[in-house]
Amino acid sequence: MVASLARPGGNVTGFSSLAPELNSKRLEILKDAVPKLARVGLLLLAGVGLADDLQLKEVRPAALALKLKLEEIDAQSDPKGLESAFQTARQKQVNAIMMMATRSFFAERKRIVELVGKYRLPAIYSQKEFVDEGGLMSYGADYDDLFRRSAHYVDKILKGTKPADLSVQQATKFEFVINLKAAKQIGLTISPELLARANQVIK
């Protein structure tokens, strides 16, 4: 969509949430939270090519480096499709769940969190809104900060600056949130060291 981050060219600019790059960090946090973790179920939105490809390029090598078996599971974002994906995860004997950062999964966050609880699996999400719905952990860009910063770009563009002349900025603030209530429900003990790294701990 842009020629480069520094010089976008064309008529598009904005802010990057670093979604693909942060997947490796999420895997690392998941392994720290579940010390005996060996097999992670990675939910992929069926039929989304480029978005998943970019994220998979980051997460596959990270799983290898962490000595984790990554089970890639295609999922539809409707209730029946999500239930089927979690049944597949159980068949593949995964020890935890992670998913690609997509709008469709975000829209179904309440249902996804319910399924994670039903199957008693530790999970990490890309946005804190999943934790607000009762999810275990999230790590990702601070979207409130990104939205505030984007308002300055809107102001500049309305005053005549061309988007091509505004660099694509990357997220600089990140949030790590842990929900101890969710941990208790699945019988998971979060170490004091991991809790100390969190920006927010929900009790």
Side-chain angles (χ1 to χ4, degrees), residues 13-158:
T13 189
F15 293 80
S16 166
S17 64
L18 298 173
E21 295 84 353
L22 294 181
N23 278 324
S24 56
K25 183 67 176 176
R26 287 185 200 106
L27 262 187
E28 180 187 316
I29 291 170
L30 200 52
K31 186 167 185 183
D32 288 344
V34 188
K36 294 181 180 178
L37 184 62
R39 193 179 296 261
V40 177
L42 180 68
L43 298 189
L44 308 169
L45 188 61
V48 179
L50 181 60
D52 278 357
D53 287 346
L54 289 171
Q55 295 188 59
L56 283 170
K57 282 181 183 177
E58 295 286 335
V59 78
R60 284 172 176 159
L64 282 174
L66 292 166
K67 296 182 172 60
L68 294 173
K69 170 68 175 171
L70 206 60
E71 295 287 358
E72 297 172 18
I73 302 167
D74 283 335
Q76 299 289 342
S77 60
D78 61 279
K80 186 178 178 182
L82 288 170
E83 181 74 49
S84 176
F86 275 87
Q87 288 172 359
T88 300
R90 182 167 61 185
Q91 290 165 6
K92 292 180 178 288
Q93 300 181 322
V94 304
N95 313 116
I97 287 286
M98 192 172 123
M99 66 199 60
M100 292 303 186
T102 70
R103 287 190 299 270
S104 295
F105 285 153
F106 182 80
E108 292 296 328
R109 61 192 179 278
K110 184 175 176 63
R111 179 67 182 144
I112 289 169
V113 168
E114 287 172 354
L115 285 165
V116 168
K118 175 182 173 180
Y119 287 87
R120 297 181 59 79
L121 290 167
I124 190 164
Y125 307 97
S126 59
Q127 291 176 251
K128 67 179 180 180
E129 285 81 0
F130 285 88
V131 181
D132 293 340
E133 294 290 352
L136 176 64
M137 298 184 294
S138 67
Y139 179 79
D142 181 338
Y143 279 88
D144 290 343
D145 180 62
L146 287 178
F147 294 148
R148 278 192 294 269
R149 290 166 58 199
S150 68
H152 296 294
Y153 266 24
V154 171
D155 181 59
K156 287 182 178 181
I157 291 167
L158 290 175

